[in-house]
Amino acid sequence: MATATTIPTAPQNSSYRGVLRGRRKDSTPTLFPDVPVQRDSGSDALLPPGSRPERVGIARLASSSPLADAKRGTEYFLLPVRSILNHCDSDRVPFSWTVNPYRGCEFGCQYCYARYTHEYMELDSADFERKIYVKQDAGPLAGRDLGMEKVQGEHIAIGTATDPYQPAEREFGTTRAILEQMATRKGLSVSITTKSNQVVRDLDLLLRIAAHSTVHVNLSITTLRPRLARMLEPRAPRPDLRLEAVRELRNAGIAAGVFAMPVLPGLTDAEADLDALARASRDAGAQWFAARVLYLMPSAQKQFLPFLYAKFPKLARRYREWFSHSNYAPESYQREISGRIAALRTKYHLGKLPIEPARPREDAPQLNLGLDFTPAAQSPQRLTDARSLQSPLRVLTNEDM
């Protein structure tokens, strides 16, 4: 492995804060919630040993969800939900609505930040890849949700917490059922983020959506090294298959780019490795190349730190120093990686993630934002962008069902 960036000493002045609620502005914006504080009084206080409160909300639904299948050491449950579109009211992300067809993700990425969402169902975060919850009636619910007036003209991001094309999709087809509903609508703005080349299976639907709406696909690729990728993302498709998916999407006329997310200090951050990934993205026809440094919540640390101690013990101590005081890598390191990615975009004529302007309602006049999102403007040489984006992920809450 090529020599990686030297990891600086961790800062000592960070602390956990409460969960983000509603829109607000912070001095150091993040796309993730902080760790919830454990309370010792009030309705959510710690209870005496042996006592257990009645499950409510998503925990109650999960506990009553019937087992649909079990294979590859994974159990699949049918989860009844009230809606498919989740409203996002954070000013930290450029979209208003998200769709996660599943809860849990079988790819089992060692570093996955979204493991904490299983804790809302009163499950251990380690069950994130072993207990997958398939949202029931996704097609009809999506059709109803897409008809809501408040959704009109707003961007919809698919795959912000769990991968919409994980292995469960082959059997349950939840993502495809949602896309089928989107293909019947006009004026939508849709993005898909995935680690799977299975997205090309739905190329027919993407083309139908693109005929009357805007749609783009982000392929997440952390490294080109197949052995390292298999260790970090045990059940995700190989990196070369993901790049080939970018090529197929672009050849078909669908806007697509690469997310080098997350950048893992000491593992995937070497200059030569990032350069190779950016070059391969360009060669596959990617229109943008975006990156974000690892964000490591305590629920993810429970999985990732033991993995590091077992596989990369020399790095494990430094990771613990960094992330025992903060969910983030030091700002100096983040700036270094941001500069490196910016230089690679310039070198290989890659753009940033295209933040699409909200599409107007059919009865409203076109709002001119001064942004160019025509196919010509999205070529590798001319891709334009008004803002940079650290991550496709939004702030999640226990209401994300």
Side-chain angles (χ1 to χ4, degrees):
M1 181 180 299
T3 302
T5 301
T6 301
I7 302 177
T9 303
Q12 302 296 317
N13 58 354
S14 300
S15 61
Y16 297 132
R17 299 186 296 273
V19 177
L20 175 70
R21 296 185 183 276
R23 288 184 180 269
R24 72 182 186 188
K25 294 184 180 296
D26 294 331
S27 57
T28 55
T30 170
L31 301 181
F32 305 93
D34 296 320
V35 179
V37 177
Q38 185 76 51
R39 300 187 58 167
D40 57 8
S41 64
S43 60
D44 55 350
L46 291 173
L47 297 171
S51 62
R52 186 181 184 89
E54 182 180 353
R55 288 187 174 94
V56 296
I58 187 62
R60 178 180 59 79
L61 292 175
S63 66
S64 61
S65 297
L67 179 67
D69 201 358
K71 59 182 63 176
R72 301 181 296 271
T74 302
E75 295 178 309
Y76 304 91
F77 300 88
L78 299 179
L79 181 70
V81 294
R82 296 189 297 268
S83 63
I84 290 299
L85 270 65
N86 309 305
H87 186 246
C88 175
D89 57 1
S90 171
D91 62 357
R92 302 178 180 188
V93 291
F95 43 77
S96 299
W97 298 90
T98 67
V99 173
N100 289 293
Y102 304 93
R103 292 187 73 105
C105 184
E106 195 174 344
F107 285 160
C109 300
Q110 305 287 356
Y111 49 77
C112 182
Y113 97 97
R115 290 177 179 276
Y116 81 95
T117 59
H118 255 40
E119 295 175 351
Y120 289 129
M121 299 190 293
E122 298 187 14
L123 298 171
D124 191 276
S125 59
D127 288 326
F128 189 71
E129 62 261 35
R130 295 195 293 261
K131 295 182 182 295
I132 309 300
Y133 288 80
V134 183
K135 296 184 179 180
Q136 287 186 295
D137 301 320
L141 287 173
R144 181 205 65 190
D145 292 352
L146 290 169
M148 294 188 298
E149 183 178 0
K150 59 184 178 180
V151 175
Q152 303 304 311
E154 301 289 343
H155 185 77
I156 302 170
I158 303 176
T160 55
T162 59
D163 201 297
Y165 288 101
Q166 59 181 286
E169 175 62 16
R170 295 190 183 94
E171 299 166 46
F172 297 99
T174 308
T175 301
R176 184 171 178 86
I178 295 168
L179 293 180
E180 286 174 343
Q181 293 296 324
M182 290 181 167
T184 66
R185 303 280 173 168
K186 294 182 179 181
L188 297 179
S189 174
V190 181
S191 64
I192 299 173
T193 300
T194 180
K195 280 184 166 69
S196 177
N197 59 323
Q198 190 183 175
V199 64
V200 300
R201 177 207 66 178
D202 290 339
L203 191 53
D204 60 326
L205 290 175
L206 296 178
L207 290 171
R208 285 170 55 192
I209 294 171
H212 302 289
S213 303
T214 63
V215 60
H216 69 261
V217 180
N218 310 301
L219 269 295
S220 176
I221 307 173
T222 51
T223 178
L224 291 181
R225 299 171 179 270
R227 289 183 60 188
L228 180 59
R230 182 62 58 216
M231 294 171 68
L232 294 171
E233 305 154 353
R235 293 183 177 176
R238 299 192 316 265
D240 62 305
L241 296 178
R242 299 180 221 177
L243 284 170
E244 183 58 32
V246 173
R247 191 186 312 278
E248 290 187 46
L249 291 167
R250 293 298 301 124
N251 287 342
I254 299 297
V258 169
F259 280 173
M261 299 183 182
V263 174
L264 299 163
L267 291 172
T268 66
D269 63 346
E271 289 190 37
D273 289 352
L274 289 174
D275 186 283
L277 180 53
R279 183 175 64 253
S281 301
R282 187 274 314 272
D283 293 345
Q287 295 167 278
W288 54 86
F289 185 70
R292 174 183 56 82
V293 174
L294 176 69
Y295 172 88
L296 202 60
M297 288 183 66
S299 55
Q301 291 184 36
K302 288 166 56 178
Q303 174 77 19
F304 192 56
L305 291 181
F307 163 78
L308 285 177
Y309 275 108
K311 302 297 183 181
F312 304 96
K314 293 183 179 180
L315 283 176
R317 179 179 177 183
R318 189 69 69 175
Y319 268 76
R320 186 174 292 279
E321 289 177 1
W322 272 15
F323 294 102
S324 63
H325 298 281
S326 173
N327 300 332
Y328 301 90
E331 289 186 9
S332 59
Y333 176 80
Q334 295 186 56
R335 287 194 298 269
E336 178 185 348
I337 296 301
S338 294
R340 189 173 299 173
I341 296 300
L344 290 172
R345 280 197 290 259
T346 299
K347 180 178 180 180
Y348 292 110
H349 305 289
L350 293 164
K352 298 177 183 178
L353 173 68
I355 310 300
E356 296 178 352
R359 296 186 65 84
R361 303 180 186 186
E362 291 187 43
D363 58 350
Q366 175 67 48
L367 178 63
N368 185 358
L369 299 180
L371 303 179
D372 188 356
F373 291 96
T374 60
Q378 292 189 3
S379 68
Q381 289 74 29
R382 295 186 58 197
L383 183 66
T384 59
D385 177 28
R387 300 159 59 185
S388 64
L389 181 66
Q390 279 191 316
S391 167
L393 303 175
R394 76 170 187 87
V395 176
L396 301 175
T397 72
N398 58 344
E399 296 303 318
D400 284 316
M401 306 197 311

